[in-house]
Amino acid sequence: MSIVNLFIIILQILLILATIVPILLLVAFYTLAERKAMGAIQRRKGPNVVGFWGLLQPIADGLKLIIKEIVIPKKAELNIYLLAPMLTFWLSLMNWVVIPFNFGNCIADVNYGILYLLVISGLGVYGVILSGWSSNSKYSLLGGLRAAAQMISYEIPIRLTILPVIVITGTLNLTDIVFFQMQYGCLIFILFPACLMFFISILAETNRAPFDLSESEAEIVAGYNLEYSGILFAMFFLGEYSNMMAMSSLVNILFLGGWVFFNFFGIYFSLIIFSLKTVFVAFLFILVRAILPRYRFDQLMQLGWKSMLPLSLGFFMFTINIVVGFNLVVPLIVY
């Protein structure tokens, strides 16, 4: 191996670490923001003991999970039991590979970024299914089966709500989609129904309330992660919140213009705009959890198959008819 190739590999590793470490810190403090916001909405104080205003609570929780004893069920399928949380955590980090924070500020700016994200997000359910089956617990198994049925319900609407964006922009590249919105305006103004259905679908994909049925404590105790503790449970926890932030970034890129704000440029300003838009979408996750009760499982199935599927399919066909019928295909000028 030449020195040049070794230097390139080292740079790639440093770039990956420069992305992953801030993401993990962001996820940690996102949990604090969620607990604070839910406390305010529900007229509670939330974390306020560890550190000033409770700001060190995520660090304390992380240390507690790291040093906590890992208890493995006696009849668990050990290899798969250990693999499941690692798979969930690894896939949640892989989502960030193609997400651009700014022009050129991306680990891999591939031409099929949307397709990559759909594949990786679809694979994430395998960690939940494997954890539920390998734990050898009835409650965990029910949580894994619920996750499988839930995935079938929302995966089709997710894809159908992204298709109008692809039809209008004519690209699968996330950076090009942001450039399109820089030239012609944010897509949420013309694709608001698709944006709303996409947000509802990603609530189910990330196992968030009111669709957190695979870990419903009132019915199946804790669901798929019932038999996990210590750092193994922390991997599920970090994976879930990392997926939430990644999906919030995707909503921002597809419908809110990414880092674009009135055609202003500059890396620092663009990063701030991107962060503010993503935080706004992430706050909606918290807001929905705080104010809405959990759906029943049959209600989720009906919402996915009888409401979301025909609506998303109908809106997609409507978009195609408008774009083709009125010849609204516009050129994309890549800067």
Side-chain angles (χ1 to χ4, degrees):
M1 181 182 295
S2 65
I3 297 178
V4 176
N5 292 335
L6 181 60
F7 181 71
I8 293 174
I9 292 175
I10 293 175
L11 283 180
Q12 290 291 334
I13 293 174
L14 291 177
L15 178 61
I16 292 172
L17 290 177
T19 304
I20 291 177
V21 173
I23 288 172
L24 293 179
L25 291 175
L26 176 65
V27 168
F29 284 95
Y30 179 41
T31 62
L32 175 65
E34 179 184 37
R35 295 169 69 179
K36 282 288 188 180
M38 290 186 62
I41 293 171
Q42 299 170 351
R43 303 186 70 178
R44 296 182 290 105
K45 289 186 177 181
N48 62 346
V49 175
V50 183
F52 175 73
W53 206 55
L55 292 177
L56 297 181
Q57 187 65 49
I59 298 176
D61 292 338
L63 291 174
K64 179 190 72 173
L65 290 172
I66 290 174
I67 65 177
K68 191 175 181 180
E69 179 184 3
I70 299 177
V71 180
I72 300 177
K74 184 177 180 181
K75 295 184 179 180
E77 193 69 35
L78 183 59
N79 293 332
I80 301 178
Y81 178 87
L82 297 175
L83 173 66
M86 299 178 188
L87 179 64
T88 299
F89 181 65
W90 177 59
L91 290 173
S92 69
L93 293 181
M94 286 184 64
N95 283 327
W96 294 94
V97 171
V98 297
I99 293 180
F101 305 100
N102 194 358
F103 176 66
N105 193 358
C106 180
I107 295 178
D109 190 13
V110 297
N111 290 330
Y112 301 98
I114 292 181
L115 185 61
Y116 172 88
L117 281 175
L118 291 177
V119 171
I120 296 300
S121 62
L123 291 175
V125 73
Y126 284 100
V128 177
I129 295 173
L130 292 176
S131 64
W133 177 79
S134 63
S135 298
N136 196 27
S137 167
K138 299 297 188 297
Y139 292 122
S140 299
L141 180 60
L142 284 173
L145 293 176
R146 283 185 171 196
Q150 187 170 314
M151 181 198 70
I152 299 172
S153 300
Y154 63 73
E155 282 293 341
I156 300 176
I158 279 182
R159 282 146 178 79
L160 289 175
T161 51
I162 291 178
L163 286 177
V165 177
I166 299 173
V167 169
I168 292 177
T169 60
T171 179
L172 292 169
N173 185 283
L174 295 174
T175 303
D176 289 347
I177 291 175
V178 176
F179 280 143
F180 181 93
Q181 296 176 82
M182 182 181 66
Q183 298 169 41
Y184 302 105
C186 294
L187 291 175
I188 190 173
F189 296 117
I190 59 175
L191 297 178
F192 179 75
C195 179
L196 181 60
M197 289 186 287
F198 182 76
F199 179 74
I200 294 173
S201 299
I202 63 175
L203 285 175
E205 177 163 359
T206 53
N207 288 320
R208 294 291 296 177
F211 307 126
D212 54 339
L213 297 168
S214 59
E215 51 185 81
S216 174
E217 72 278 357
E219 303 164 15
I220 50 177
V221 187
Y224 66 93
N225 57 23
L226 172 61
E227 302 295 341
Y228 285 87
S229 60
I231 191 64
L232 297 179
F233 172 79
M235 288 183 180
F236 280 122
F237 191 74
L238 291 174
E240 177 181 334
Y241 280 82
S242 178
N243 280 330
M244 290 165 57
M245 295 304 300
M247 290 298 107
S248 299
S249 301
L250 185 58
V251 173
N252 178 17
I253 291 170
L254 294 180
F255 300 101
L256 301 180
W259 61 84
V260 174
F261 183 73
F262 292 113
N263 290 344
F264 285 109
F265 282 98
I267 181 170
Y268 299 111
F269 186 81
S270 300
L271 287 175
I272 292 173
I273 293 300
F274 184 90
S275 301
L276 290 177
K277 291 181 180 180
T278 302
V279 167
F280 169 74
V281 179
F283 177 75
L284 295 181
F285 278 85
I286 301 173
L287 193 64
V288 169
R289 180 182 178 184
I291 65 178
L292 293 181
R294 181 181 294 116
Y295 270 48
R296 293 200 318 265
F297 192 69
D298 62 308
Q299 291 175 329
L300 174 60
M301 296 294 105
Q302 290 180 7
L303 178 66
W305 289 106
K306 296 183 179 180
S307 299
M308 297 287 291
L309 178 58
L311 286 175
S312 57
L313 181 59
F315 187 77
F316 171 55
M317 298 303 297
F318 172 77
T319 304
I320 291 180
N321 289 329
I322 293 296
V323 171
V324 176
F326 291 92
N327 194 20
L328 298 179
V329 178
V330 291
L332 173 62
I333 302 173
V334 179
Y335 287 79

